Amino acid sequence: MGRKVTVATCALNQWALDFEGNLQRILKSIEIAKHKGARYRLGPELEICGYGCWDHYYESDTLLHSLQVLAALLESPVTQDIICDVGMPIMHRNVRYNCRVMFLNRKILLIRPKVALANEGNYRELRWFTPWSRSRQTEEYFLPRMIQDLTKQETVPFGDAVLSTRDTCIGSEVCEELWTPHSPHVDMGLDGVEIFTNASGSHHVLRKAHARVDLVTMATTKNGGIYLLANQKGCDGDRLYYDGCALIAMNGSIFAQGSQFSLDDVEVLTATLDLEDVRSYRAEISSRNLAASRVSPYPRVKVDFALSCHEDLLEPLSEPVEWKYHSPAEEISLGPACWLWDFLRRSQQAGFFLPLSGGVDSGATACLVYSMCHQVCEAVKHGSQEVLADVRTIVNQTSYTPQDPRELCGRILTTCYMASENSSRETCNRARDLAQQIGSHHIGLNIDPAVKAVLGIFSLVTGKSPAFAAHGGSSRESLALQNVQARVRMVIAYLFAQLSLWSRGAPGRLLVLGSANVDESLLGYLTKYDCSSADINPIGGISKTDLRAFVQLCMERFQLPALQSILVAPATAELEPLAHGRVSQTDEEDMGVTYAELSVYGRLRKIAKMGPYSMFCKLLYVWKDVCTPRQVADKVKRFFSKYSTNRHKMTTLTPAYHAESYSPDDNRFDLRPFLYNTRWPWQFRCIETQPFIGGPGQDVSRELNKGSIPLVTN
């Protein structure tokens, strides 16, 4: 009597609306699963159309093409003799649902709609789908004619049910349902479901992987059972990177771990497990068995098929493994690099153009491209034909095989140091040395002629010549002069991105990379439409603190000694005149806030959901040993005044890799006004009326208006 089952789950690099490519990746995963002996295959959430279709879910075309792909899967000989569990949108009685479709040998077994939709952070599933609210109930779904012709079925079960095979019972939950207070697997397990499946569309956030693993291991520790988790991987068309981590667990232990970051489009995990291990584990948990005797049953769809074989006594079983986590610095070195690779190959561009200033942010961005080149060379070395074909297309050379990351970096990354009269020799040398060590094609140029030309137009029209504060000018004049330099750099960056390869006799254009970190964006410490305006920004969701740790990792792992001088140098925009040839301007002095403080403000504002008064109350305790109540009040008021003054800049923020849960990205993640009453009169009055503060404090809004608080506001 068979009791050992081989099951498969996968991570697929699906792409929104790429129905042809998505179909081929699904078929490949099923083929691999069958080759490994699996008789059940689980795929990611909405894998047929790609998770990130967003408002395309409204379109009937998306539903139609998803059904066409389903028909192709049903018809393919690859899908025979294995239960296939695929994700797609389905309209039932004029309502759109996010569904799992389970089929076997050209017969649809069950359509299971998602019962709990993700609707926070970057997720907006309630905008497009409706959750199935009829717990443990099914209805008849009338199949479209194109599917009827293949399956010879008129209707199939649609709703909250489980599959009952000859040897076990399989229950499905979808992504968010694992994270809910009372997940479906709880009652399914009590009702005798032995194999739980979870199809996810879960994106990367720094330090998040452990939460996903803990939820799965805890689910099977308390209730016993086998748990399969599938996930999307890669960039499917926007700011998110889906980070794989497919896994198979049983009774609280992990038996298969998928990669979190990889350039492979298809990754399939299998495990052979003994159903009797689940049954014996459950048998001795008396509290579970008492609860099971009272649980309401799920509708069962009977399937005349077994996941096990009759003669399996000699079949080897999978052994438990210990989950290996990446450090945050390693996550940064891998995740954004994989995202860059997907963006580069799918946009069909020839490489990247990066303004390299000699500072930590642009240096970290250059290191991410270098890390990407390392991963590409490793993938080719290990036989990835897909990566090899992509890199040959990018460099426009059909016989090319990358072997040295530095040589590859020279082909696809152009860096440029844009000097001005306010630039120091030190930053120029740091940029040049780093470019030399990573192998990028490096350009050095001076923007002063362009800046003088722009200012000449202004002087010609107005008869006025603005001056820096150091030369007797007002704060308004000084700020405008800084912004002209910054914006000229953006214009030059795009010119070189379009024509740099042309000037070298090579085809194609380059993607412009931005390098503003999440903390500077939060405060608005950037010039609107300067070099922060780019095609994409791989570090825009990463804090300065984490970036420094990443740069330290790169210095050691990739042997890049130029990064040492970048790490120890003070961060500076170099937009104001030098003092005796030395930098006279630093970022933290300009902002009036340290980067460490910005991370604290960012997390309290977004994650803890605090306004000025709540943040003040919180920081009174957190900073009690380092700040007086008066100082805490002034710091909080200063932050909110600057943040609200510059919030308008978030509306034009370059699309950035999402890595940090306090990102101020205005596109979808952090929805807030961009025109504030920056004086916050009511909120600040609540702070000032606390009797223990003492003293009138700073009138931050008045200082902003006078210009005594340095701040780039345009």
Side-chain angles (χ1 to χ4, degrees):
M1 178 181 177
R3 63 184 195 179
K4 296 178 182 177
V5 295
T6 300
V7 289
T9 184
C10 61
L12 303 183
N13 195 337
Q14 303 297 73
W15 190 8
L17 303 178
D18 179 25
F19 293 98
E20 180 62 40
N22 293 348
L23 169 62
Q24 296 307 317
R25 286 181 283 271
I26 293 170
L27 285 171
K28 183 176 179 181
S29 71
I30 297 170
E31 195 170 24
I32 295 171
K34 286 178 67 177
H35 180 72
K36 292 185 173 184
R39 294 174 68 100
Y40 172 89
R41 175 267 184 200
L42 173 72
E45 184 175 10
L46 294 166
E47 60 186 307
I48 283 181
C49 56
Y51 184 82
C53 293
W54 309 142
D55 279 3
H56 289 289
Y57 287 123
Y58 288 133
E59 300 167 4
S60 60
D61 279 13
T62 304
L63 297 169
L64 169 65
H65 300 326
S66 296
L67 286 168
Q68 290 169 334
V69 171
L70 176 62
L73 289 169
L74 286 163
E75 202 169 16
S76 171
V78 172
T79 63
Q80 300 303 295
D81 301 320
I82 182 170
I83 295 177
C84 297
D85 187 337
V86 299
M88 61 183 285
I90 287 181
M91 183 171 282
H92 174 55
R93 299 183 181 179
N94 293 337
V95 179
R96 271 186 314 277
Y97 294 97
N98 176 347
C99 295
R100 303 303 301 171
V101 179
M102 296 159 225
F103 62 90
L104 169 68
N105 295 337
R106 294 198 179 191
K107 299 290 183 185
I108 293 177
L109 307 173
L110 170 67
I111 300 176
R112 199 277 194 179
K114 193 172 182 178
V115 300
L117 300 180
N119 211 57
E120 70 287 328
N122 284 300
Y123 296 102
R124 294 286 182 274
E125 289 181 14
L126 281 170
R127 179 179 173 94
W128 310 293
F129 300 112
T130 300
W132 182 256
S133 57
R134 299 179 186 179
S135 177
R136 294 169 230 206
Q137 294 182 41
T138 63
E139 296 175 351
E140 284 188 318
Y141 174 73
F142 286 81
L143 292 170
R145 280 175 294 179
M146 75 171 83
I147 305 297
Q148 286 187 33
D149 292 342
L150 287 169
T151 66
K152 309 306 177 187
Q153 299 166 285
E154 185 180 10
T155 64
V156 295
F158 184 102
D160 190 16
V162 297
L163 297 184
S164 184
T165 66
R166 288 187 214 152
D167 51 358
T168 188
C169 190
I170 305 168
S172 175
E173 58 185 11
V174 186
C175 198
E176 177 73 9
E177 295 165 14
L178 173 62
W179 302 75
T180 57
H182 191 84
S183 297
H185 69 255
V186 176
D187 286 345
M188 286 193 298
L190 294 175
D191 191 35
V193 171
E194 295 176 328
I195 300 175
F196 311 107
T197 67
N198 186 305
S200 285
S202 181
H203 65 77
H204 176 232
V205 175
L206 287 172
R207 305 171 178 87
K208 174 184 172 183
H210 71 89
R212 205 182 286 146
V213 176
D214 290 348
L215 283 168
V216 171
T217 53
M218 185 56 65
T220 58
T221 297
K222 292 171 66 175
N223 210 355
I226 297 167
Y227 202 109
L228 282 68
L229 185 141
N231 194 18
Q232 185 156 311
K233 67 190 301 190
C235 166
D236 81 337
D238 72 351
R239 296 160 173 79
L240 306 180
Y241 179 82
Y242 299 89
D243 60 336
C245 289
L247 64 85
I248 301 175
M250 182 177 71
N251 300 344
S253 298
I254 301 293
F255 283 80
Q257 174 186 355
S259 62
Q260 187 175 13
F261 309 105
S262 165
L263 301 187
D264 294 329
D265 283 347
V266 177
E267 181 182 24
V268 178
L269 300 182
T270 58
T272 301
L273 303 168
D274 194 335
L275 293 171
E276 287 303 314
D277 288 340
V278 174
R279 293 159 188 165
S280 60
Y281 183 91
R282 287 177 170 178
E284 63 179 0
I285 308 176
S286 59
S287 58
R288 179 212 165 267
N289 297 335
L290 286 170
S293 67
R294 298 188 295 267
V295 74
S296 299
Y298 278 80
R300 274 169 159 71
V301 176
K302 294 180 181 178
V303 184
D304 187 17
F305 185 77
L307 301 192
S308 58
C309 302
H310 282 295
E311 303 298 330
D312 62 4
L313 286 177
L314 300 179
E315 185 75 20
L317 291 171
S318 301
E319 297 290 334
V321 298
E322 185 175 346
W323 192 276
K324 295 180 175 62
Y325 293 97
H326 293 292
S327 70
E330 289 172 335
E331 289 186 67
I332 294 170
S333 75
L334 297 169
C338 290
W339 183 75
L340 283 173
W341 174 247
D342 277 349
F343 213 100
L344 179 60
R345 67 193 180 109
R346 287 176 168 171
S347 65
Q348 299 181 358
Q349 301 303 304
F352 300 111
F353 182 91
L354 173 65
L356 191 62
S357 69
V360 167
D361 293 339
S362 63
T365 304
C367 287
L368 282 174
V369 178
Y370 190 61
S371 175
M372 182 198 81
C373 293
H374 259 271
Q375 292 186 65
V376 168
C377 290
E378 282 298 305
V380 170
K381 180 181 175 182
H382 288 95
S384 175
Q385 292 303 307
E386 293 89 350
V387 173
L388 180 59
D390 284 332
V391 77
R392 285 174 172 174
T393 300
I394 290 166
V395 302
N396 194 42
Q397 190 174 330
T398 56
S399 61
Y400 175 67
T401 299
Q403 295 176 320
D404 176 20
R406 193 170 178 275
E407 186 273 337
L408 176 59
C409 192
R411 288 174 178 263
I412 63 176
L413 176 63
T414 298
T415 52
C416 181
Y417 182 79
M418 304 187 198
S420 76
E421 61 186 7
N422 302 319
S423 301
S424 65
R425 173 52 54 185
E426 289 81 6
T427 54
C428 178
N429 291 342
R430 292 198 295 266
R432 183 200 61 221
D433 292 346
L434 179 59
Q436 185 177 24
Q437 289 173 21
I438 64 174
S440 66
H441 178 82
H442 190 62
I443 300 168
L445 56 82
N446 193 294
I447 66 169
D448 286 337
V451 172
K452 287 181 171 63
V454 173
L455 294 175
I457 294 171
F458 180 83
S459 299
L460 186 65
V461 173
T462 64
K464 299 280 189 178
S465 295
F468 284 104
H471 300 156
S474 65
S475 60
R476 277 197 298 175
E477 294 170 66
S478 189
L479 192 57
L481 290 173
Q482 292 180 63
N483 287 341
V484 167
Q485 297 169 72
R487 289 181 175 126
V488 162
R489 288 188 170 114
M490 184 271 289
V491 174
I492 291 173
Y494 272 95
L495 175 63
F496 274 80
Q498 288 182 295
L499 294 180
S500 175
L501 293 180
W502 167 81
S503 71
R504 290 180 256 163
R509 67 175 294 274
L510 305 174
L511 289 165
V512 179
L513 295 180
S515 54
N517 65 61
V518 72
D519 297 322
E520 291 169 349
S521 298
L522 173 66
L523 198 67
Y525 184 67
L526 51 92
T527 299
K528 214 172 184 179
Y529 306 116
D530 69 347
C531 274
S532 64
S533 296
D535 292 316
I536 50 174
N537 179 358
I539 69 163
I542 304 172
S543 71
K544 191 79 164 188
T545 303
D546 283 338
L547 282 175
R548 293 182 69 85
F550 161 65
V551 169
Q552 181 72 36
L553 175 78
C554 290
M555 183 178 69
E556 297 164 2
R557 180 165 295 180
F558 298 143
Q559 299 297 303
L560 302 174
L563 294 174
Q564 179 61 46
S565 59
I566 290 175
L567 279 171
V568 299
T572 174
E574 289 196 330
L575 295 172
E576 292 184 7
L578 301 174
H580 309 294
R582 310 292 295 179
V583 171
S584 62
Q585 174 187 31
T586 66
D587 291 352
E588 291 190 338
E589 286 179 7
D590 262 7
M591 294 187 294
V593 182
T594 67
Y595 282 108
E597 288 172 343
L598 272 177
S599 290
V600 173
Y601 297 142
R603 289 186 169 89
L604 293 180
R605 180 198 70 99
K606 177 66 178 176
I607 302 172
K609 301 166 183 65
M610 292 183 176
Y613 182 68
S614 296
M615 189 181 293
F616 164 72
C617 294
K618 180 74 172 180
L619 291 178
L620 273 177
Y621 173 76
V622 174
W623 287 347
K624 67 181 186 301
D625 296 330
V626 293
C627 293
T628 65
R630 174 75 268 157
Q631 290 171 324
V632 173
D634 290 344
K635 284 175 179 289
V636 169
K637 289 164 64 179
R638 181 182 293 263
F639 166 71
F640 272 97
S641 295
K642 291 188 174 187
Y643 155 75
S644 56
T645 298
N646 286 319
R647 180 66 194 186
H648 65 96
K649 296 178 183 177
M650 298 306 96
T651 63
T652 62
L653 209 59
T654 294
Y657 180 96
H658 181 88
E660 185 57 76
S661 49
Y662 69 87
S663 166
D665 170 36
D666 184 71
N667 175 263
R668 186 172 74 246
F669 183 71
D670 190 41
L671 306 181
R672 298 169 194 257
F674 56 87
L675 177 62
Y676 281 91
N677 182 343
T678 58
R679 294 178 293 115
W680 301 83
W682 189 283
Q683 295 91 331
F684 286 3
R685 189 160 60 246
C686 286
I687 295 174
E688 289 297 335
T689 53
Q690 299 306 307
F692 50 80
I693 284 186
Q698 299 178 15
D699 187 340
V700 179
S701 60
R702 187 176 300 166
E703 289 190 41
L704 279 168
N705 291 333
K706 289 192 302 183
S708 56
I709 295 179
L711 183 66
V712 179
T713 57
N714 294 114

